[in-house]
Amino acid sequence: MFLYWYTCLCGDEGRKRFVGINASDINYSAGRYDASVKPPFDIGFEGVGEVVALGLSASADYSVGQAVAYVKAGSFAEYTVVPARQAVPLPSVKPEFLTLMVSGATAYLSLKELGDLSEGQKVLVTAAAGGTGQFAVQLAKKANCHVIGTCSSDEKGGFLKSIGCDRTINYKTENVESVLRKDYPEGVDVVYESVGGKMFDLALNALAIKGRLIVIGFIAGYQNPTGLQPIKAELLPAKLLKKSASVRGFFLNHYLSDYKMALQHLLKMYERGDLVCEVDFGDMSPEGKFTGLESVFRAVDYMYMGKNIGKIVVELPHSVNSKL
C-alpha cells in the first residue's frame, strides 16, 4: 500500500487545511467503535488539504500541491499519511467540499438505499439544521417530497426554509408531538433520525402506514457513560406491526462500495449550484472562530450545545515551524 502525506502548505495566498467535526467523534474517543484501541490514539474522521509529499506509486496519479479530501481515522492532525486509493481529488481546497465527505454521503446513501423516496411523500428530518440534516432536507426536496425539519432556534428555522424545508418545528417553542399529530394526522412516510431518546419515540409514533424510520445516529445519548439514551423499546414490535412500518439503521462504513459514486454525485450537485453546503466555523462561539487543533475540543462542545448551523469545520493554518 503506497502512502502519501498531505496537508495544506501556506503559500502567498494563505491557503489552509480543514478538518470536520462529527457527532460520533466522542464515540470513537470513548472506544465505542473499537474496544481494543487504548489511549493514546489519533481521532478525527475527515479532512481536506493539499498534497505535500508522495509515495512512489502515488506520484502516477497525484502531484504535490494538488487538492484532495479523505476519510480516515486520525485526521485531527496537521499532517496525515493516507493511502492513495482513499484520496478524493478536488478542484480546490474549500471547506464546503469537506461537508460532503461524511455528512453529505451519509444523507445521500441512506435516503437512496433505505428511504425509497417518491414524489409527494412526507419526510421528517430531526436535527435538520446540522451537518448531515441540511443534506437530508435538500435531497428529499430534490425528490419532490414534503419536508419537515426539527431545530432548536428561529435562526435555524430560517436557514432551513432557505434550503427548501416546507415546515420547520422549533422544539424549544413548539411541541413536536402535537404539531405532527395536528398537521400530519396520517403520519410521515420517512424519518431521517439522528437524535435518539424521546425524539426517536416521537418519530416512531409519527410514522405513516408502511413508514420508514432511518437511524443514522442518536446524539442525545453520546455523552452518557453508555453512549445511549433510553427509548420505549418494549412497544416497538407492536408499533411496527400495527403500521407495517420499519426501522432501519445506517452506518456509512457498511456502504463503502458505493461511497465514491455518492461523493462524485454530490460534488457535481454542489458545483452546479444545486446543493447548499453550509459551513459553521464557530464565529459566533464565545471564543471565536475554530482555528488550530487546540480548538477542536471547543468545536465539539459547540456541537453538543446545539449551536451550529450546518457542518462544523476547524481551520488548520500552516505551522510556521513546519519544514514541509
Side-chain angles (χ1 to χ4, degrees), residues 46-228:
E46 57 188 343
V48 297
E50 293 179 346
V51 176
V52 296
L54 295 161
L56 183 61
S57 177
S59 60
D61 300 308
Y62 296 93
S63 59
V64 171
Q66 183 173 354
V68 289
Y70 64 95
V71 174
K72 179 180 180 293
S75 65
F76 290 161
E78 292 175 335
Y79 295 89
T80 308
V81 180
V82 178
R85 58 183 173 78
Q86 291 182 11
V88 178
L90 296 175
S92 61
V93 177
K94 293 178 65 175
E96 286 80 6
F97 292 131
L98 183 56
T99 67
L100 303 175
M101 301 301 294
V102 172
S103 300
T106 294
Y108 177 83
L109 285 170
S110 63
L111 290 174
K112 179 176 181 291
E113 298 295 329
L114 308 179
D116 193 23
L117 301 182
S118 60
E119 184 174 354
Q121 289 191 326
K122 296 178 285 294
V123 178
L124 171 64
V125 180
T126 63
T132 189
Q134 64 171 323
F135 295 110
V137 168
Q138 294 178 79
L139 293 169
K141 282 302 294 181
K142 296 293 183 187
N144 296 314
C145 295
H146 177 91
V147 182
I148 310 129
T150 69
C151 60
S152 60
S153 71
D154 291 340
E155 183 184 5
K156 292 184 179 184
F159 165 68
L160 289 174
K161 290 176 182 177
S162 76
I163 60 172
C165 194
D166 297 288
R167 174 64 160 99
T168 62
I169 306 174
N170 180 349
Y171 62 80
K172 294 289 183 69
T173 59
E174 297 182 270
N175 183 292
V176 177
E177 184 176 17
S178 297
V179 170
L180 292 174
R181 283 181 176 176
K182 178 184 177 182
D183 294 356
Y184 306 96
E186 295 183 0
V188 297
D189 301 289
V190 177
V191 180
Y192 186 82
E193 219 294 276
S194 61
V195 177
K198 293 181 180 179
M199 187 63 77
F200 174 90
D201 291 329
L202 290 175
L204 179 67
N205 292 337
L207 284 177
I209 301 298
K210 297 182 181 180
R212 288 87 67 197
L213 195 162
I214 304 170
V215 177
I216 62 101
F218 34 93
I219 190 173
Y222 290 170
Q223 291 178 300
N224 293 340
T226 62
L228 300 170

Side-chain angles (χ1 to χ4, degrees), residues 293-312:
L293 288 174
E294 64 275 12
S295 70
V296 165
F297 78 94
R298 287 201 298 115
V300 172
D301 284 345
Y302 184 73
M303 172 183 290
Y304 279 90
M305 289 188 291
K307 301 297 185 182
N308 61 296
I309 296 180
K311 175 82 172 185
I312 300 177

